Amino acid sequence: MVLVLVTAYRERAAIDVTALRGSLVGLIIGTIAGAIALRFVSGPALGKTFGVLVLLAVFLSVTGYRFTATRRSLMIAGGAAGIMGAMVGIHGPPISLVFQNAEPRVARGMLSAFFSVAYLGAVAALAAFGLFGVPQIVRAAILTPGVVLGLIVAPHIAPYINGTRLRLIILAVAATSALVLLVR
């Protein structure tokens, strides 16, 4: 959470609040729908189904389909991120794929702002159900040196991440997330 909050703050000039609002409406609706669906549908096939869907979206991207950040696509991607986050714990691929062709600064700002809200909501929900406490805070503290290092290094490497590189990074992370869902 610290990483995305700091990144969102750094890139705040690139955040389109109206577009972000639409993706967050989708996130809230998707999270509720995912939580409700999780009460009725579960099992090992669930993660694999989402993994296949994400790989399909990556495949479409690689073959030339262009996802663009429109009001509609952001709301749909936010909803899909909410559903996936609630059901299998991975928010990133749907919303990230929408920003794969965006200017890197816009993608960093918008994704960080989106994930700030998504992660804060997830922690609040976990805490409300007694699933977040000292053990999770200790685990987070162990990761702090890596987060601090990332925050120090990021501004120095950001100028080298052009649109093409960012797109490849987003596709690689989405594909890796999908493979994790398929394997676990």
Side-chain angles (χ1 to χ4, degrees):
M1 281 192 328
V2 171
L3 181 63
V4 293
L5 286 169
V6 171
T7 303
Y9 180 77
R10 273 189 192 155
E11 302 293 353
R12 67 189 175 278
I15 296 172
D16 178 346
V17 176
T18 303
L20 178 63
R21 192 175 302 127
S23 67
L24 294 176
V25 167
L27 174 70
I28 292 165
I29 293 168
T31 300
I32 293 167
I36 292 168
L38 193 56
R39 292 188 59 108
F40 302 104
V41 180
S42 63
L46 189 63
K48 292 180 186 350
T49 301
F50 284 119
V52 167
L53 291 173
V54 170
L55 282 178
L56 177 62
V58 170
F59 175 75
L60 287 173
S61 298
V62 170
T63 59
Y65 183 84
R66 288 187 58 90
F67 291 93
T68 54
T70 64
R71 178 180 292 189
R72 183 177 183 196
S73 68
L74 286 169
M75 189 171 285
I76 291 168
I83 291 169
M84 282 184 65
M87 297 184 83
V88 293
I90 297 176
H91 289 94
I95 195 74
S96 298
L97 287 169
V98 171
F99 286 105
Q100 68 179 296
N101 296 305
E103 177 188 337
R105 185 165 188 231
V106 170
R108 285 191 305 270
M110 293 294 287
L111 290 172
S112 295
F114 180 86
F115 290 134
S116 294
V117 174
Y119 297 161
L120 286 170
V123 168
L126 290 170
F129 288 99
L131 300 171
F132 184 83
V134 174
Q136 289 74 28
I137 292 170
V138 169
R139 289 186 195 123
I142 292 168
L143 299 174
T144 300
V147 170
V148 170
L149 180 62
L151 290 170
I152 292 169
V153 172
H156 302 289
I157 63 171
Y160 301 103
I161 307 293
N162 63 21
T164 302
R165 286 187 182 121
L166 177 66
R167 183 172 184 272
L168 292 174
I169 291 167
I170 287 174
L171 291 173
V173 170
T176 302
S177 297
L179 293 173
V180 167
L181 289 173
L182 290 171
V183 171
R184 73 173 169 166

